[in-house]
Amino acid sequence: MNGGDEVVAAPAGPPHPLDWKFSQVFGERTAGEEVQEVDIISAIEFDKSGDHLATGDRGGRVVLFERTDTKDHGASRRDFERMDYSISRHPEFRYKTEFQSHEPEFDYLKSLEIEEKINKIRWCLTANGALFLLSTNDKTIKFWKVQEKKVKKISEMNVDPSKSMGNGCIASSSNSSSSRPYLANGGSPDRSYNYISNDFSFPPGGIPSLRLPMVSSHESSLVARCRRVYAHAHDYHINSISNNSDGETFISADDLRINLWNLEISSQSFNIVDVKPANMEDLTEVITSAEFHPTHCNMLAYSSSKGSIRLVDLRQSALCDSHSKLFEEQEAPGSRSFFTEIIASISDIKFGKDGRYILSRDYMTLKLWDINMDSGPVATFQVHEYLRPKLCDLYENDSIFDKFECCLSGDGLRVATGSYSNLFRVFGCAPGSAEATTLEASKNPMRRQVPTPSRPSRSLGNSLTRVVRRGAEAPGVDANGNSFDFTTKLLHLAWHPTENSIACAAANSLYMYYA
């Protein structure tokens, strides 16, 4: 479209790879600084507008950031989005507030310590200028309201420098220039109107020294208040919470059950998925992640430790143990090993913005699934294929059980996930795209950029076709040629809902990038 005239253009090729630049860092470590365990970030989430960002840490704190670069424009960002050009300046955030969401607890019945670590944060609908969000640790979900409240102070008291009248005032003030005696209630005995009698009347013009206290609003402060606590509904550790598009309900998932809650009711929840067998020895898989469909309030998906994703329709039955669709990739014959089932376990799933695609992350790969095609993923992206020979070492040091998150861009053209050595990968998932970028969570994100090899050619259609995408690393070393560092891992990241901007957590530091 150009000036209202319609132009028929040739079919566009895949979008060009993005050029990522460093934007901001919060909580940057100095060289040699030791990271406190409680400060390590354990959850990141943008709100739907992208104007607010929340992080949770292992110390049970939630920190909120707000966007500042769009506030000083005359027009709102939505006005710019309606136009045919984007805002040229890159997103800038500032610290807004923080609050202690969870405290460490002790379950006396099971003799278990319950960590305060924030597992997940989800934003809820805003109302009356207040922000609402859900946060959860292993056992308890909390619903928080964060609101700006003006601090009201009494600016004028009923104190006259020359006279002290009224209850609560000073009987004799050092500022008083009069030496006349005063009564206990501040009155003066030589005034006829100090004693109220039946024939009392106010003098003409009133009593000049009697003034009502004035209350004025001074600076405002942000107050976080816990509105509801959803507790005692999970026997196992909560791994996911997801709010529904209806704005009224949300789900919480642990290893064996998914519960449905109403935001207004904290005293009860409905169990909608239960995979617990009658005999726990028959247990073969657990729930690893669950998420509501972004627009259909009756649909949700959950993933399992066996590498499958189940799509559930709440209209089918009250207990949704039987799925409406099952997404899993068939094992290649002869490829099974001791590690096959461990690395197949899905650590995170995310719906695309329109709900057509589901992105899943297992230990070695990202997979993109079309909910209309359950025969297999439409695309597979190798995240760190060079680690395959090291699976035995990864098993020995428990790194093989690390749970990496994944995210999709708002336009659905790219996906991202983290890896080791504080690296994260961005892949293009549009038809024909060969984008596979490796970035480091540092002020120079392209420092570890590696050349992208040519991808296998494929026929391009209007829809995504199934293809396996190879990464770009040499076996046995990281992208910089160094031995791989399993202690620095980038587990948590989030993509801005409307712009190409990524926030990711490296230990206690929050890094932000834009393209």
Side-chain angles (χ1 to χ4, degrees):
M1 297 290 286
N2 185 11
D5 299 327
E6 206 166 304
V7 178
V8 179
H16 294 292
L18 294 175
D19 179 23
W20 290 95
K21 299 180 184 69
F22 169 77
S23 172
Q24 287 172 283
V25 59
F26 295 95
E28 186 182 21
R29 271 180 296 161
T30 54
E33 182 189 347
E34 193 175 333
V35 179
Q36 299 296 317
E37 178 84 8
V38 292
D39 294 332
I40 294 175
I41 297 171
S42 56
I44 299 182
E45 186 79 6
F46 279 105
D47 72 346
K48 277 193 173 176
S49 69
D51 289 339
H52 291 93
L53 174 68
T55 65
D57 63 25
R58 293 190 184 180
R61 290 171 303 230
V62 171
V63 183
L64 304 186
F65 301 88
E66 67 176 347
R67 188 164 178 177
T68 57
D69 62 298
T70 55
K71 286 196 168 183
D72 49 6
H73 277 296
S76 69
R77 193 171 82 250
R78 285 190 178 84
D79 295 331
F80 284 103
E81 286 168 357
R82 290 189 193 107
M83 302 179 191
D84 264 353
Y85 57 87
S86 60
I87 299 172
S88 56
R89 53 171 78 184
H90 66 82
E92 287 177 17
F93 284 78
R94 73 175 176 200
Y95 169 87
K96 188 178 177 78
T97 188
E98 68 179 84
F99 55 91
Q100 188 71 34
S101 173
H102 288 72
E103 302 278 0
E105 296 175 57
F106 191 81
D107 187 335
Y108 291 98
L109 289 175
K110 297 180 179 176
S111 296
L112 284 174
E113 282 186 24
I114 301 169
E115 280 186 304
E116 67 271 40
K117 173 185 158 232
I118 305 295
N119 290 344
K120 285 285 187 283
I121 296 171
R122 289 291 179 266
W123 289 91
C124 302
L125 297 174
T126 57
N128 301 327
L131 302 172
F132 295 90
L133 46 96
L134 289 164
S135 62
T136 185
N137 65 353
D138 285 339
K139 295 289 183 183
T140 307
I141 307 152
K142 294 186 179 181
F143 183 47
W144 290 91
K145 178 183 182 179
V146 181
Q147 195 171 27
E148 210 165 76
K149 291 213 169 177
K150 288 187 175 174
V151 179
K152 292 186 176 179
K153 290 182 181 175
I154 296 173
S155 57
E156 286 186 39
M157 288 293 286
N158 184 25
V159 176
D160 191 319
S162 61
K163 303 178 185 66
S164 298
M165 291 192 62
N167 292 326
C169 295
I170 329 161
S172 62
S173 169
S174 58
N175 296 332
S176 176
S177 58
S178 170
S179 58
R180 285 178 298 176
Y182 288 97
L183 300 179
N185 70 347
S188 176
D190 61 352
R191 299 266 181 120
S192 61
Y193 51 78
N194 278 326
Y195 300 98
I196 297 184
S197 60
N198 291 335
D199 57 348
F200 170 79
S201 63
F202 276 94
I207 304 172
S209 59
L210 179 64
R211 293 194 308 274
L212 290 173
M214 300 289 289
V215 177
S216 62
S217 295
H218 288 257
E219 75 282 352
S220 58
S221 67
L222 280 161
V223 179
R225 198 158 60 90
C226 184
R227 295 288 303 275
R228 281 176 197 87
V229 177
Y230 313 90
H232 312 302
H234 288 278
D235 290 332
Y236 304 93
H237 290 178
I238 298 170
N239 54 50
S240 306
I241 50 174
S242 176
N243 31 6
N244 200 344
S245 57
D246 64 10
E248 295 178 1
T249 55
F250 70 94
I251 52 169
S252 57
D254 65 22
D255 292 341
L256 299 178
R257 293 189 178 100
I258 300 176
N259 292 332
L260 178 69
W261 301 83
N262 188 302
L263 279 167
E264 300 293 323
I265 303 166
S266 58
S267 57
Q268 65 174 0
S269 64
F270 297 96
N271 177 229
I272 53 173
V273 175
D274 188 348
V275 300
K276 185 178 181 180
N279 184 355
M280 284 296 277
E281 289 179 6
D282 298 331
L283 183 69
T284 57
E285 62 182 331
V286 295
I287 298 166
T288 56
S289 182
E291 189 170 73
F292 260 121
H293 191 281
T295 55
H296 298 329
C297 62
N298 56 287
M299 288 175 68
L300 63 100
Y302 68 92
S303 59
S304 85
S305 56
K306 275 195 166 179
S308 60
I309 301 169
R310 289 171 173 84
L311 197 64
V312 165
D313 192 336
L314 295 172
R315 296 171 300 184
Q316 286 185 336
S317 74
L319 191 61
C320 306
D321 289 342
S322 58
H323 50 267
S324 53
K325 275 192 178 177
L326 174 67
F327 304 94
E328 60 184 352
E329 192 167 27
Q330 297 306 315
E331 212 176 282
S335 63
R336 189 164 184 82
S337 72
F338 172 76
F339 303 110
T340 301
E341 205 163 293
I342 301 173
I343 63 173
S345 177
I346 294 173
S347 55
D348 191 27
I349 59 168
K350 293 276 182 1
F351 272 101
K353 199 173 185 179
D354 61 357
R356 169 77 185 270
Y357 296 100
I358 298 173
L359 181 67
S360 69
R361 170 71 205 261
D362 57 42
Y363 188 67
M364 298 297 288
T365 65
L366 270 177
K367 292 188 175 85
L368 192 67
W369 308 79
D370 185 335
I371 64 169
N372 297 330
M373 190 179 99
D374 52 9
S375 56
V378 292
T380 300
F381 309 94
Q382 308 287 2
V383 178
H384 38 217
E385 188 60 23
Y386 48 84
L387 291 184
R388 204 168 284 277
K390 295 175 175 256
L391 288 177
C392 197
D393 298 336
L394 292 160
Y395 180 76
E396 289 294 323
N397 64 21
D398 281 348
S399 294
I400 203 167
F401 302 108
D402 287 335
K403 293 178 172 25
F404 291 94
E405 291 178 4
C406 58
C407 57
L408 297 97
S409 61
D411 56 16
L413 297 177
R414 293 172 181 86
V415 295
T417 192
S419 181
Y420 293 100
S421 297
N422 281 344
L423 300 180
F424 63 100
R425 312 285 318 273
V426 179
F427 298 97
C429 55
S433 173
E435 186 174 352
T437 311
T438 303
L439 300 135
E440 182 187 33
S442 69
K443 286 188 173 178
N444 182 9
M446 307 301 276
R447 184 168 67 181
R448 303 208 180 194
Q449 183 61 56
V450 289
T452 304
S454 57
R455 292 275 180 73
S457 60
R458 50 181 171 148
S459 59
L460 300 180
N462 291 329
S463 63
L464 289 163
T465 52
R466 289 183 66 185
V467 63
V468 172
R469 305 213 149 155
R470 300 287 164 192
E473 301 84 359
V477 293
D478 71 3
N480 217 22
N482 304 320
S483 58
F484 219 71
D485 184 2
F486 298 127
T487 59
T488 55
K489 48 203 168 195
L490 200 148
L491 301 175
H492 310 286
L493 76 173
W495 202 302
H496 191 282
T498 58
E499 298 175 26
N500 286 321
S501 174
I502 290 178
C504 56
N508 65 329
S509 303
L510 176 68
Y511 285 91
M512 306 191 75
Y513 303 94
Y514 71 99

